[in-house]
Amino acid sequence: LILMHDDLDMTLGNWKLVKGSGPKVHNGVNSVREQLGSSEFWYARMGVDDRNGDRSEDPAAYVLRPVASSNVSLVHEMMVLVVDAV
């Protein structure tokens, strides 16, 4: 299992693969851990933070809004790199 997920602790376009240690606060990731009864799987952490230091927006609202059109190609490139790495 390789879980690809958004990560607000990483700048948009950055990513990394880790095993057994994903974010502590992430509803989607926590749900997968709960269903599997384990956190021993691969995580593809994909950075989505393009807030340029502005932390005034609620993080949950930020990650649920559509990707800005100016960032779509960067997100696509990041996803291709992650899939190629896997």
Side-chain angles (χ1 to χ4, degrees):
L1 171 68
I2 301 169
L3 179 65
M4 297 173 71
H5 66 86
D6 58 338
D7 194 321
L8 257 181
D9 292 332
M10 298 176 69
T11 305
L12 181 68
N14 290 324
W15 62 275
K16 68 179 174 177
L17 291 172
V18 294
K19 185 171 185 187
S21 83
K24 292 179 181 19
V25 180
H26 190 293
N27 291 337
V29 173
N30 290 342
S31 177
V32 171
R33 283 189 194 118
E34 183 179 308
Q35 292 299 311
L36 293 175
S38 173
S39 52
E40 288 303 311
F41 51 86
W42 286 95
Y43 300 78
R45 298 177 56 196
M46 301 190 311
V48 296
D49 188 358
D50 71 338
R51 298 175 290 177
N52 298 317
D54 178 6
R55 303 295 188 263
S56 60
E57 185 175 3
D58 175 60
Y62 176 80
V63 297
L64 293 175
R65 66 181 166 104
V67 175
S69 59
S70 59
N71 291 332
V72 170
S73 63
L74 180 58
V75 170
H76 176 68
E77 290 172 27
M78 176 176 53
M79 291 176 74
V80 167
L81 290 171
V82 169
V83 170
D84 284 349
V86 170

